[in-house]
Amino acid sequence: MTRVMVVEDDENLLVGVAATLQAAGLEVQTATSIAAAHDALATGGQDCVVFDRMLPDGDAIGYVHLRRREGWGTPVLFLTARDAPADRVAGFEHGGDDYLVKPFSSAELTARVLNLCRRPGGRPSVLRYGDLEMDCARREVRRAEILLSLTGKEFAVLEYLLTQAEQLVTRTDLLEHCWESEADPMSNVVDAVVKRLRRKLGGPELIHTVHGRGFQLGAR
């Protein structure tokens, strides 16, 4: 069964979110602090984590950022009342895969969580281009046999670029396939993720910018 962890310190909201996701057929774990979530996450097996940002022991984006640097790849949805564009960008830049602002509808929450949990069908479990290899099942990426540490959003963007290798991919394409929400096409979230990917992939450069149009992975 698909397992989701919900980390929220508001007891009424926690109970409501858990009930909503359980009604969708998901197994739900709960925690009310970063420390409690960390202990539960140590056992593994979660397909997605829903984090309230402001918790009793800190801002969850700091915790997620540190875990991403360690190679933790579980998809994360931030659930928060902080709705400024800068807050959304910070959520994505620190390792979040989606960002939902309170108040929200149960249907939208369920759709976003299910989207993060499921793997697209019909794709090979391992994608390769040159010395770059992505194991989709294990969520591992290697270049020249060196294991890379990617955030969930970096993994999703690279996965889509690999499936479209040597073809033009627009920023709108990436927003639609990797964010699966109404992200602002004029924001810089796509460019920020691609910039980090380039740095982590190293040389020779694999992801090229097609001026005014988008990106292309591979030969030009």
Side-chain angles (χ1 to χ4, degrees), residues 112-187:
R112 292 191 183 215
V113 169
L114 288 174
N115 177 68
L116 290 179
C117 288
R118 67 174 178 258
R119 299 296 309 170
R123 292 184 184 174
S125 61
V126 178
L127 301 172
R128 294 184 178 87
Y129 188 92
D131 62 353
L132 179 65
E133 179 179 290
M134 170 180 283
D135 187 322
C136 299
R138 296 185 177 182
R139 296 186 66 82
E140 293 180 350
V141 175
R142 287 178 167 79
R143 185 162 193 201
E145 300 186 359
I146 297 174
L147 182 64
L148 307 180
S149 174
L150 303 184
T151 67
K153 190 57 61 183
E154 290 164 359
F155 188 97
V157 169
L158 182 58
E159 180 180 15
Y160 187 71
L161 289 171
L162 276 166
T163 65
Q164 308 296 316
E166 300 189 4
Q167 299 180 46
L168 172 69
V169 175
T170 67
R171 289 172 176 81
T172 300
D173 289 334
L174 289 171
L175 285 170
E176 290 178 350
H177 287 86
C178 301
W179 271 262
E180 298 284 354
S181 61
E182 294 183 6
D184 181 358
M186 301 304 293
S187 71

Side-chain angles (χ1 to χ4, degrees), residues 7 13 26 53 59 72 82 117 128 159 165 167 196 214:
V7 189
L13 183 57
L26 303 176
R53 272 195 58 178
D59 188 338
W72 183 57
R82 304 182 66 163
C117 288
R128 294 184 178 87
E159 180 180 15
Q167 299 180 46
R196 296 200 307 268

Side-chain angles (χ1 to χ4, degrees), residues 12-91:
N12 290 331
L13 183 57
L14 179 63
V15 170
V17 169
T20 294
L21 297 178
Q22 287 168 343
L26 303 176
E27 178 183 337
V28 180
Q29 295 176 294
T30 62
T32 57
S33 67
I34 293 172
H38 180 73
D39 290 342
L41 290 170
T43 64
Q46 295 83 9
D47 296 285
C48 175
V49 182
V50 178
F51 269 109
D52 180 24
R53 272 195 58 178
M54 304 313 297
L55 293 161
D57 45 355
D59 188 338
I61 70 169
Y63 172 76
V64 172
H65 178 72
L66 291 175
R67 292 299 310 275
R68 294 305 195 209
R69 293 180 63 183
E70 298 169 355
W72 183 57
T74 302
V76 167
L77 183 148
F78 286 118
L79 191 64
T80 176
R82 304 182 66 163
D83 61 351
D87 290 320
R88 295 174 183 264
V89 171

